[in-house]
Amino acid sequence: MDVLFFASLADRAGRKAARVDLPSGADVEALWQRLLVEYPGLRLVGQRPMVACDLQYAAWDRRLDDVREVAFVPPVSGG
Amino acid sequence: MIRLQAESIDVAELIDAVRDPAAGAAVQFLGTVRSPDLGRRVVRLEYEAYEPMAIAELERLVQATTQRHVTARVAVVHRLGPVIPGEISVAIAVSAAHRAEAFAACQLIIDELKLRVPIWKREVFEDGANWVEGSSTREA
């Protein structure tokens, strides 16, 4: 699946996008743990970011079998 | 009308988009870039968005607002990229039958936009820059 990072998270990860393959049944938490290994800069993130699956905010126990795009988003600051 | 754009916002266009003969009130909110911020001169803000989700969240927000304020019509435009002090970063235009609904709908949209819509601003100062994280209570 496609993983997107934004704002300060992209700075920490060192990239804006990544492709990750996960075993069936994996949830957002499992994806995040994998990302922490691949992009260790993410470990510097103070508080857990929010997550969106296919353009909707999701819980961290959301399973990813049917998800195409996951985005990790820092607290928003539009307006 | 819900849009993200790099170009300067034309407020008259938003007012026209919600014009309605049944409306007795029209309200606009303009969020503008201010300088200084906490005593430091702001050179510019830079806005980044998760664009497809920002549009989706704005659509959900506008729908929830018009379900609650049934006579309201809404237009929202947010800038992307660099915006300099004095310029408008976000514009919301609302028309409604009466002023109570118009004000309430407009306030609801900007308040919720600042909590939920995946847009981020980076403050660029003369001597550095940082991402703004989270809705700043001092801006309320």
Side-chain angles (χ1 to χ4, degrees):
Chain A
M1 84 198 60
D2 294 321
V3 178
L4 303 179
F5 302 106
F6 290 94
S8 58
L9 278 179
D11 291 349
R12 295 253 182 260
R15 57 202 298 149
K16 297 191 171 207
R19 268 209 67 84
V20 179
D21 289 311
L22 288 173
S24 167
D27 61 7
V28 173
E29 177 71 49
L31 171 60
W32 182 249
Q33 294 304 323
R34 168 78 76 79
L35 292 169
L36 290 179
V37 171
E38 305 229 7
Y39 311 108
L42 288 172
R43 296 180 201 180
L44 295 171
V45 169
Q47 58 177 116
R48 279 271 170 102
M50 299 222 285
V51 64
C53 295
D54 291 336
L55 309 187
Q56 295 222 314
Y57 286 113
W60 278 67
D61 59 2
R62 167 85 151 86
R63 284 177 54 150
L64 297 172
D65 294 307
D66 59 338
V67 173
R68 270 175 306 158
E69 182 170 286
V70 178
F72 289 96
V73 305
V76 302
S77 57
Chain B
M1 174 175 155
I2 293 172
R3 208 158 71 204
L4 307 172
Q5 65 185 47
E7 302 77 21
S8 291
I9 295 175
D10 177 358
V11 179
E13 191 194 355
L14 278 92
I15 295 172
D16 279 343
V18 300
R19 195 181 299 282
D20 182 355
V27 170
Q28 297 92 46
F29 171 79
L30 308 178
T32 51
V33 176
R34 57 188 164 80
S35 175
D37 188 36
L38 294 181
R40 293 168 82 188
R41 185 174 90 84
V42 175
V43 174
R44 63 181 180 275
L45 296 184
E46 293 172 348
Y47 284 98
E48 176 181 312
Y50 180 13
E51 292 186 43
M53 186 178 168
I55 295 285
E57 278 291 312
L58 284 168
E59 285 173 350
R60 285 189 274 263
L61 175 51
V62 169
Q63 186 172 60
T65 300
T66 55
Q67 275 174 357
R68 185 161 157 182
H69 300 292
V70 297
T71 71
R73 295 186 60 179
V74 178
V76 183
V77 177
H78 200 300
R79 294 277 301 267
L80 296 178
V83 187
I84 62 176
E87 286 196 315
I88 299 163
S89 355
V90 60
I92 300 167
V94 177
S95 70
H98 300 287
R99 68 187 183 283
E101 275 209 315
F103 280 119
C106 194
Q107 173 118 52
L108 180 59
I109 290 173
I110 185 60
D111 286 352
E112 291 294 305
L113 183 156
K114 290 174 81 65
L115 290 176
R116 289 191 67 86
V117 177
I119 298 173
W120 298 271
K121 59 174 163 256
R122 191 162 169 264
E123 280 182 309
V124 179
F125 304 102
E126 283 156 325
D127 55 352
N130 59 262
W131 287 104
V132 176
E133 308 261 280
S135 243
S136 175
T137 53
R138 64 186 148 83
E139 291 169 359

